[in-house]
Amino acid sequence: MSLETRPSTASAPAPAPDAPPSGPRPGMGRILLAGIAPLALVGLMTWWFLAAGISWLRLGQPPIEKLAIERVVFRPQEIVVRVRNEGPGTLSVGQVLVNDAIWDFSITPRREIERLRGATISIPYDWLEGEPYVVTVISGTGVRHTKEIELATETPRPSGRSLLVFGLLGAFVGVIPVFLGLLWLPFLRAMPARWMDFWISLTLGLLVFLGIDTLQESFEILDRVPAFANGLMLVALGAIGAFLALTSVGRVFSGMGLAMLIAIGIGLHNLGEGLAIGAAYTLGEVALGSFLIVGFTLHNTTEGLAILSPLVESRARLSDLLLLGMIGGGPTIAGTWIGAFTYSDPLSLLFLGIGAGAIFQVVRVLARGRAARGEPVLEALARPQNVAGLLIGFLLMYATSLLVAG
Amino acid sequence: VTPRARAGLALLVFAAAVAAAALILPARLRAQRPAPDPPSYEAGPLARAARDHAIRALTEFDTGKVTRLPDGTNLREYEVEARHAEIEVAPGVRFPAWTYNGAVPGPSIRCTEGDSIRITFVNKGTMPHSMHFHGIHVSNMDGVFEQVVPGGTFLYEFRAEPFGLHLYHCHTMPVKMHLARGLYGVFLIDPKTPRPPAHEMVMVMNGFDTDLNGEDNEFYTVNGYANVFFRDYPIPVKAGELQRIYLVNMTELDLVNSMHTHATFFHVYPTGTSLTPSVYTDVITMGQAERAILEFTYPYPGRYLFHAHQNEFAELGWLGQFDVRADEPRNAGR
């Protein structure tokens, strides 16, 4: 009904939308009061509820305990367990069992852990490299909190040597493959120009795979992130934030700018990948076999290819390629360092979200860039050579991903 | 903005991220390193109560209020209360127990064969409970069909027979739950001719399912407190003196329990119903509610372990030691 009345009012002279509201402007004090009053009322209500309301309403605090065993670190003759109280009230650590046997332990700062606070438990233990262990923390009320470690391995401490080893690991799985992929540039340039659509859609296929892959990695971490950290929202924050931020940087990209955008997206993805590799090694969940490293190398070579396509039709110097390679692959090294020495699941989720958002923004830019003026993007993508490129790109990623499965 | 400038910006951001990681890293690692001194466990009132109860239960018997009846037999009168109480079962770990007289195990009721027994049972819990005695008595004194409601009272009356090491426990359904929560105790009937003098100890083997999942026990103890005779009170005994353990298995959920004495062998009197030992061994394994009297001596002074020979139980709290002291000169030189 309102739709019908609208045309008739459209002809009447309406006040300009930007015109200031008529009447005297309210004073600063009143504005502040209007802003603060709701907050003050919320504060007052919260205070009353905590002070008197809970008992008045007869709502006892639910006695549900939640203790997250965030990290188990193996040092020589010592197991260090990082725990966090995720429950609604203060929790106390009663006894600690290793492989279902009571064991001596010390705890800092105290046995009593307040809500959302953490504590570090140190257990003197002659553990053996490569063997599984079960650590159980029994709280003061007798509730068991258990963490299984599939494979004990000494947690690396940051030293010159371990930094070098993990740096090299990052270089092998991230930096070198991306550079190798970039070496295809002369080949791409030598191909006929009408193949350009194919290369771009191939890149699209690669990127769509990487975007979904990044999200999937974040979902795997979600399972072990404390509930209070609200992990899914961290991923969403990163993804939406990165997507919008990159969109606002500039709408039209081509050549080097577009390649840079792709490199940033892939770089963020690789940061997440590096985090996962470093953390997996530290958490003792997988031993990084040489086969896995070779798999990552092959898999990530396709990332270099993805960065290239915008450069086929434009000039690019060697220094540009070096820069692109560092931005695309370099974060893997940073990721393995952070993952190996100071891992934080919530932070990883944020990074992975940012990576996914950046990649999908690049996908959007690339897809729109190839569409003719006024042509819907989907129709442009549906051209045979584009469909073929997209699928081949996706399958290429899928096939090489099988090398790192497991 | 030129592409070149954008590239520079990206590089800058990346460098900043690496720098931030390098800065955050050492601080986080420092935070993970625990302080060198283990903070000592502040034993609260619950801990002291549990420890004291376990030690007292070793040697303390309730022999009742004794009056001689006209026919010459002894009348023994006892009072037992069912109470729900929070107890500590291992340092720092509490358990919502259902108890006889406020602790687990309940009082060790002792009498002599043929005595007239009167036990006034008061249920101060929040659900029906009862006392079911292992012994010989009439149907309505069996503590099964006569459930005692909260606030209710029941008088158990029977003659003490047969002599031996027995027990009592709650027989309210679900019995598994009532036993797992701690409603049990020792019922000892001495033979009319007393056993030879000895240093006597009561050991009730039990388990505590502290997370109440009904599947397994988190802790195994003797007399209700994990490792109490290992950590807090190694049991002092004299070398050469006859030791007598009244050993009762009241373990619920994982029903079989055992005891092994180091460096000595013991004579076993199963259920204590015979004065002739059946076996001479150093390990005894029993199902739930099985019990035996063990007699032995330690010839040599020193510290000797005793524990369940299911090592899982031993490492979850069923571990103790005897502190054998050479008080007798004739053993000193050995």
Side-chain angles (χ1 to χ4, degrees):
Chain A
M1 267 174 271
S2 60
L3 281 176
E4 287 164 21
T5 56
R6 204 166 277 162
S8 63
T9 54
S11 58
D18 295 331
S22 53
R25 287 179 65 85
M28 203 56 195
R30 287 187 60 176
I31 294 177
L32 274 178
L33 189 68
I36 289 167
L39 272 181
L41 286 174
V42 166
L44 203 66
M45 198 190 79
T46 311
W47 173 80
W48 170 81
F49 190 78
L50 290 178
I54 291 178
S55 53
W56 186 68
L57 290 169
R58 295 176 190 235
L59 293 174
Q61 200 172 47
I64 300 165
E65 283 188 348
K66 278 169 103 179
L67 185 75
I69 300 182
E70 290 187 327
R71 190 168 187 177
V72 179
V73 168
F74 290 86
R75 304 243 166 89
Q77 273 96 52
E78 186 190 21
I79 302 176
V80 181
V81 183
R82 179 85 195 155
V83 297
R84 187 171 296 281
N85 175 9
E86 297 175 8
T90 299
L91 177 154
S92 88
V93 170
Q95 290 288 316
V96 174
L97 318 183
V98 179
N99 289 352
D100 262 329
I102 297 176
W103 221 261
D104 281 341
F105 68 97
S106 62
I107 183 166
T108 46
R110 284 182 303 121
R111 276 176 179 258
E112 282 71 36
I113 312 173
E114 283 160 26
R115 185 175 120 84
L116 302 188
R117 291 302 175 88
T120 304
I121 297 168
S122 164
I123 311 163
Y125 200 94
D126 279 315
W127 57 274
L128 291 176
E129 184 88 18
E131 300 206 345
Y133 288 93
V134 181
V135 175
T136 304
V137 177
I138 297 186
S139 73
T141 57
V143 180
R144 293 176 80 100
H145 307 275
T146 295
K147 176 98 171 176
E148 290 181 25
I149 295 92
E150 290 172 28
L151 197 151
T153 182
E154 192 175 332
T155 307
R157 286 168 180 276
S159 66
R161 199 189 127 68
S162 65
L163 279 174
L164 184 70
V165 166
F166 277 91
L168 278 178
L169 189 67
F172 268 120
V173 302
V175 183
I176 293 172
V178 171
F179 275 119
L180 290 179
L182 290 175
L183 290 180
W184 265 310
L185 185 59
F187 170 74
L188 292 191
R189 283 203 170 135
M191 299 301 277
R194 62 176 187 282
W195 279 67
M196 198 52 218
D197 268 0
F198 174 77
W199 295 125
I200 293 284
S201 46
L202 182 86
T203 302
L204 272 180
L206 300 176
L207 287 174
V208 167
F209 185 99
L210 281 182
I212 296 172
D213 189 48
T214 309
L215 283 181
Q216 187 190 329
E217 247 172 65
S218 70
F219 293 155
E220 276 168 15
I221 295 178
L222 275 186
D223 287 344
R224 57 169 196 254
V225 167
F228 75 84
N230 219 337
L232 187 60
M233 291 305 142
L234 285 176
V235 179
L237 177 72
I240 296 171
F243 191 89
L244 293 180
L246 287 177
T247 307
S248 73
V249 165
R251 278 165 223 284
V252 186
F253 286 97
S254 65
M256 183 62 186
L258 187 54
M260 183 62 65
L261 201 60
I262 298 176
I264 291 172
I266 287 178
L268 288 167
H269 166 87
N270 281 343
L271 182 70
E273 205 167 77
L275 282 173
I277 292 171
Y281 185 83
T282 305
L283 297 176
E285 281 168 2
V286 287
L288 276 180
S290 47
F291 185 73
L292 199 63
I293 294 175
V294 171
F296 268 117
T297 306
L298 288 177
H299 185 53
N300 290 350
T301 306
T302 51
E303 293 177 352
L305 189 61
I307 298 175
L308 276 186
S309 54
L311 298 178
V312 173
E313 289 172 328
S314 67
R315 299 179 159 277
R317 285 185 308 204
L318 188 64
S319 62
D320 290 335
L321 286 183
L322 283 177
L323 186 64
L324 289 171
M326 272 322 292
I327 289 174
T332 319
I333 298 178
T336 47
W337 280 342
I338 298 172
F341 301 125
T342 169
Y343 187 70
S344 152
D345 279 333
L347 208 61
S348 307
L349 286 177
L350 191 65
F351 277 127
L352 288 172
I354 290 172
I359 288 170
F360 284 121
Q361 156 65 7
V362 177
V363 166
R364 177 173 161 272
V365 169
L366 273 179
R368 280 179 33 162
R370 295 317 289 177
R373 194 174 295 276
E375 183 190 21
V377 175
L378 262 180
E379 267 177 42
L381 283 179
R383 283 199 285 271
Q385 71 270 35
N386 287 348
V387 172
L390 221 150
L391 287 180
I392 290 172
F394 201 88
L395 285 173
L396 200 61
M397 273 285 171
Y398 181 79
T400 53
S401 77
L402 294 180
L403 293 173
V404 294
Chain B
V1 186
T2 65
R4 183 64 50 125
R6 247 190 316 269
L9 194 71
L11 198 66
L12 207 68
V13 169
F14 172 58
V18 173
L23 282 177
I24 295 166
L25 203 131
R28 274 191 62 101
L29 284 168
R30 240 195 330 275
Q32 279 186 8
R33 202 164 300 142
D37 293 330
S40 61
Y41 168 60
E42 297 280 328
L46 279 182
R48 284 195 294 275
R51 195 178 52 201
D52 293 350
H53 174 73
I55 296 167
R56 267 206 322 273
L58 202 61
T59 51
E60 210 173 80
F61 293 95
D62 184 354
T63 49
K65 198 175 73 161
V66 188
T67 33
R68 192 167 284 272
L69 294 176
D71 66 356
T73 58
N74 277 336
L75 168 70
R76 290 183 191 266
E77 292 176 287
Y78 305 84
E79 282 170 15
V80 176
E81 267 180 21
R83 272 207 303 266
H84 295 195
E86 192 175 56
I87 60 171
E88 189 161 299
V89 297
V93 182
R94 301 180 300 279
F95 180 69
W98 304 346
T99 73
Y100 290 120
N101 288 0
V104 180
S108 296
I109 295 174
R110 188 169 195 171
C111 56
T112 306
E113 183 186 15
D115 285 350
S116 223
I117 305 296
R118 296 181 69 166
I119 293 158
T120 309
F121 172 62
V122 182
N123 181 0
K124 292 196 171 168
T126 54
M127 63 181 73
H129 289 302
S130 73
M131 286 181 86
H132 161 71
F133 286 84
H134 284 218
I136 300 172
H137 44 247
V138 295
S139 164
N140 65 353
M141 290 295 139
D142 199 37
V144 173
F145 303 112
E146 290 72 24
Q147 290 295 319
V148 185
V149 296
T153 299
F154 195 90
L155 183 65
Y156 295 97
E157 284 187 287
F158 47 80
R159 185 182 302 278
E161 59 181 345
F163 80 79
L165 172 59
H166 309 310
L167 56 119
Y168 63 91
H169 60 84
C170 182
H171 217 297
T172 305
M173 302 256 266
V175 179
K176 180 172 119 173
M177 180 65 127
H178 286 248
L179 261 67
R181 289 298 187 98
L183 285 166
Y184 44 79
V186 168
F187 178 41
L188 174 61
I189 304 179
D190 287 320
K192 279 186 172 146
T193 315
R195 294 171 198 279
H199 176 234
E200 295 191 327
M201 293 165 274
V202 170
M203 294 194 185
V204 178
M205 304 189 285
N206 60 1
F208 291 103
D209 174 26
T210 61
D211 67 359
L212 305 177
N213 71 354
E215 288 168 12
D216 53 4
N217 294 304
E218 271 62 44
F219 298 100
Y220 293 89
T221 78
V222 160
N223 294 353
Y225 200 53
N227 290 329
V228 61
F229 301 119
F230 179 76
R231 181 194 52 236
D232 303 314
Y233 183 74
I235 300 169
V237 302
K238 286 181 197 158
E241 184 188 38
L242 179 64
Q243 307 297 323
R244 181 177 298 130
I245 296 179
Y246 296 105
L247 183 69
V248 181
N249 177 18
M250 288 312 301
T251 316
E252 189 49 87
L253 305 179
D254 207 343
L255 309 168
V256 176
N257 211 328
S258 62
M259 177 170 181
H260 165 53
T261 52
H262 279 221
T264 192
F265 274 55
F266 49 75
H267 294 281
V268 180
Y269 301 81
T271 321
T273 44
S274 165
L275 297 175
T276 314
S278 65
V279 210
Y280 186 55
T281 179
D282 66 353
V283 183
I284 179 169
T285 303
M286 302 187 289
Q288 191 193 58
E290 281 194 279
R291 60 274 186 193
I293 299 175
L294 318 181
E295 285 185 354
F296 58 100
T297 56
Y298 271 107
Y300 310 117
R303 295 265 180 145
Y304 300 100
L305 278 188
F306 62 95
H307 55 84
H309 219 301
Q310 294 117 303
N311 296 317
E312 178 200 350
F313 291 12
E315 284 167 350
L316 289 173
W318 186 166
L319 182 66
Q321 51 181 327
F322 288 113
D323 180 8
V324 182
R325 294 166 188 181
D327 286 341
E328 312 268 345
R330 61 190 155 88
N331 288 323
R334 300 275 276 280

